[in-house]
């Protein structure tokens, strides 16, 4: 295998490769070249002998992945590029104790697909035999080398514990409601985080009258500053799963649990600031299913990976905590995504998506006294929301909540938030429910979340009525003032619209995002602004690829920066008869295009059309049975197709209201169905 441009090579555990470049990153947890130490605190020494080599391999691989994740910076956060610059091409060559197992096609595919979706990077893995099996490659001891915990025979459940509100709620659920004895597994990402986690465990022990709640903490020490460039750590939950899975395996358990609320788990791209690698998928159902496959393959028998809170809003997690009488400990939990900014006085920044969601949920349940505003550097209601990006994020959050409540059913919801459809197959497999039930559950959970946010806004406005009418009593950077100011804008406009440098360009055809909104110009006319939506993103993607045929799943992938346009059939999971007719129509159109190109000796177009026709012919043979009927119907493929089609139709209607000629043109030139295509290849859109 040769190295490609832009590919980052990572050689792990003493591994080598003839094609690796000289500047390849080298990682090791042992030996003279060790630049990582995997330190696991709290695991009793009598359990260490039970860790099989393949599970040690698992912890090492996960450690190498998170170290590489932090070694290669993603670049500056540019909202216009929708996350493209944040995606990296990572090639791992890893020395392991069980290379045959790790090189199996099933394991390589599980690793590459799961981690690729988790962090929105491209992963490839190769494994070779570990040359030198040193006995002290992993450190499983306490701070002074002592074993901290014993007596694991009465453990009921192994679960992750971050010290945030949700994992704290999971511990409360296990201890007070399920009456179980859990092992809590934590990632010691920073000393202050580990301190918070340990203090919370101590509080839980006192509160529950349980002596010695087992608590295991894992930390990957990076001895080289070059391994600490990137802070996002989107792959970190793989390390959590590897460690929790190892703990579960050695004590004879066949399941582990993450606890995270559903809106965070799905983490729909409500804002241009949180798409792609910036939109964490730590506990997305598809990721958890992938972890289960990796753990099951490693240990040779099934390992379930569960999230009992996946259909609860964060406010509903607070209900669990409050009903159990544990709300008094809420102020000690930390949910902030910007740990490096936290201080003793302000453990929460107040402006990241996690802080915004936490604060809205606390206000929705009237628990302000248990989680006081003083803990936030920026208060949700009082401000100050001084930075444009931070204002945009909180407004996008509120807009999304309003949208959730506006939908009458799951189909409408999926039409605007097609990303949710990506979770449906995994949730069907994990829950055993059919696609319609899963879709309904996802929609209803998001709608309840939206109703809570709307109620907080309404109650806040009512409480601040006097401030609103009293001169000088309402800060201009408070949330009510910002909402009032936006309410006075003309519909569909954006204060930053006139600042878009693209408006000064001479392009006749313009379709690009600046700030939150889309700037559109058609045939040299007056430019206009359209509010963000999934449909606008899909239109933008199609306009960038004139003449290409994309399935719904492929279009979603490309819109989010994963280049699959060259293999548009690869995401098909089965179709119905309508889809078959749509595909045959595409074939006929390609044939007509090929014949016309042949008349004008356009060899490049002929070759492209014939290549696409061959793919469709092969696909039809595999998908169509006797009589031309589909062999099977897959509801997830159909839902994604309908969601994307509906989103595009709504976007075109919105454009038509702003510019009738542009809307009618797009309606005529955008073909929807099983394959989606922008037909016109002659217009040079500036995108």
């Amino acid at each position: 295998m040769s190295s490609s441009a832009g590919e980052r090579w990572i050689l792990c555990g003493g591994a080598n490769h003839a094609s690796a470049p000289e500047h390849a990153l080298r990682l090791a947890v042992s030996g003279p070249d060790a630049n990582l130490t995997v330190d696991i605190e709290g695991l009793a020494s009598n359990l260490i002998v039970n860790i099989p080599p393949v599970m040690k391999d698992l912890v090492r691989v996960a450690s190498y992945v998170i170290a590489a994740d932090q070694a290669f910076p993603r670049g500056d956060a540019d909202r216009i590029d929708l996350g493209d610059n944040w995606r990296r091409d990572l090639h791992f060559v890893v020395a392991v104790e069980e290379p045959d197992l790790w090189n199996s096609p099933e394991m390589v595919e599980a690793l590459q697909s799961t981690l690729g979706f988790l962090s929105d990077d491209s992963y490839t893995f190769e494994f070779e035999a570990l040359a030198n099996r040193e006995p002290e490659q992993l450190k499983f001891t306490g701070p002074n080398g002592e074993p901290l915990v014993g007596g694991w025979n009465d453990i009921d459940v192994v679960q992750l514990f971050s010290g945030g509100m949700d994992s704290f709620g999971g511990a409360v659920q296990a201890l007070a409601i399920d009456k179980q004895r859990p092992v809590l597994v934590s990632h010691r990402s920073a000393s202050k985080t580990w301190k918070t986690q340990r203090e919370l465990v101590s509080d839980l022990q006192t509160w529950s009258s349980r002596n010695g709640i087992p608590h295991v903490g894992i930390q990957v020490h990076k001895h080289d500053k070059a391994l600490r460039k990137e802070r996002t750590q989107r792959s970190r939950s793989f390390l959590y799963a590897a460690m929790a899975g190892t703990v579960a395996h050695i004590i004879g358990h066949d399941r582990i649990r993450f606890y995270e609320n559903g809106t965070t788990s799905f983490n729909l791209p409500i804002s241009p600031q949180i798409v792609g690698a910036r939109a964490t998928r730590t506990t997305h159902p598809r990721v958890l299913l992938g972890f289960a496959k990796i753990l099951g393959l490693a240990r040779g028998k099934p390992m379930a990976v569960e999230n009992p809170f996946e259909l609860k809003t964060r406010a509903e997690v607070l209900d669990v905590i409050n009903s159990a009488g544990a709300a008094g400990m809420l102020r000690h939990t930390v949910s902030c995504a910007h740990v490096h900014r936290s201080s003793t006085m302000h453990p929460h920044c107040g402006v990241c998506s996690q802080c915004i969601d936490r604060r809205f949920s606390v206000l929705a349940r009237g628990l302000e006294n248990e989680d006081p505003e003083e803990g936030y550097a920026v208060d949700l209601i009082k401000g100050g929301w001084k930075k444009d990006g931070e204002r945009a994020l909180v407004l996008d959050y509120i807009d999304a909540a309003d949208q959730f409540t506006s939908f009458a059913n799951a189909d409408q919801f999926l039409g605007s938030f097609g990303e949710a459809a990506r979770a449906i197959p995994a949730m069907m497999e994990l829950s055993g429910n059919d696609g319609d039930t899963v879709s309904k559950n996802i929609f209803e959970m998001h709608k309840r979340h939206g109703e809570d946010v709307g109620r907080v806004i309404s109650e806040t406005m009512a409480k601040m009525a006097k401030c609103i009418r009293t001169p000088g009593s309402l800060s201009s950077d408070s949330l009510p003032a910002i909402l009032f100011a936006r309410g006075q804008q003309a519909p569909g406009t954006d204060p930053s619209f006139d600042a878009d440098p693209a408006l000064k360009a001479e392009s006749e055809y313009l379709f690009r995002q600046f700030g939150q909104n889309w700037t559109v110009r058609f045939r040299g006319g007056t430019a206009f602004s359209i509010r963000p939506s999934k449909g606008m993103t899909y239109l933008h993607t199609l306009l960038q690829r004139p003449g290409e045929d994309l399935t719904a799943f492929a279009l979603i992938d490309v819109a989010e920066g994963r280049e699959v346009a060259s293999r548009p059939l690869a995401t098909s999971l089965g179709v119905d008869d309508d889809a078959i007719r749509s595909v045959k129509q595409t074939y006929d159109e390609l044939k007509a295009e090929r014949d016309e190109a042949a008349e004008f000796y356009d060899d490049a177009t002929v070759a492209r059309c014939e290549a696409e026709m061959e793919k469709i012919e092969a696909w039809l043979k595999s998908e169509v049975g006797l009589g031309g009927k589909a062999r099977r119907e897959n509801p997830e493929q159909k839902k994604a197709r309908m969601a994307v089609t509906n989103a595009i139709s709504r976007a075109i209607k919105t454009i038509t209201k702003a510019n009738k000629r542009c809307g009618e043109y797009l309606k005529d030139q955008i073909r929807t169905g099983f394959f989606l295509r922008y037909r016109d290849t002659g217009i040079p859109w500036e995108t």
Side-chain angles (χ1 to χ4, degrees), residues 198-238:
R198 292 171 66 184
E199 289 175 349
L200 277 171
V201 171
S202 177
D203 290 344
L204 283 166
Q205 288 179 166
T206 302
W207 169 78
S208 64
S209 301
R210 299 283 187 97
N211 292 324
I213 297 175
H215 186 205
V216 176
I218 181 170
Q219 184 176 31
V220 178
H221 295 281
K222 306 170 191 71
H223 308 311
D224 187 341
K225 289 183 179 180
L227 302 181
R228 298 192 291 270
K229 295 178 180 178
E230 176 59 47
R231 285 176 169 170
T232 55
Q233 300 184 67
R234 291 308 189 214
S235 64
R236 63 189 181 276
S237 64
F238 179 41

Side-chain angles (χ1 to χ4, degrees), residues 351 377-379 382-387 390-391 475 477-478 482:
V351 298
V378 173
D379 180 65
K382 297 179 180 179
W385 295 96
K386 300 182 183 298
K387 296 182 179 180
E390 294 169 355
R391 288 190 183 203
S475 171
D477 57 22
S478 67
I482 293 170

Side-chain angles (χ1 to χ4, degrees), residues 613-626:
M613 289 166 64
E614 287 178 6
K615 291 180 184 178
I616 292 177
E617 287 172 355
W619 182 83
L620 284 170
K621 287 179 181 178
S622 67
E623 295 289 334
V624 178
L626 295 175

Side-chain angles (χ1 to χ4, degrees), residues 94-114:
V94 188
V96 291
E97 296 190 45
E98 302 287 348
D100 290 343
L101 185 149
W102 289 98
N103 275 318
S104 69
E106 296 83 2
M107 178 63 87
V108 171
E109 167 59 23
L111 284 169
Q112 292 177 174
S113 61
T114 301

Side-chain angles (χ1 to χ4, degrees), residues 41-49 140 147-152 216 250:
E41 180 176 321
L43 199 57
S45 59
N46 64 330
L47 296 174
I48 304 307
V49 295
F140 293 88
L148 297 183
V149 180
W152 296 63
V216 176
I250 62 179

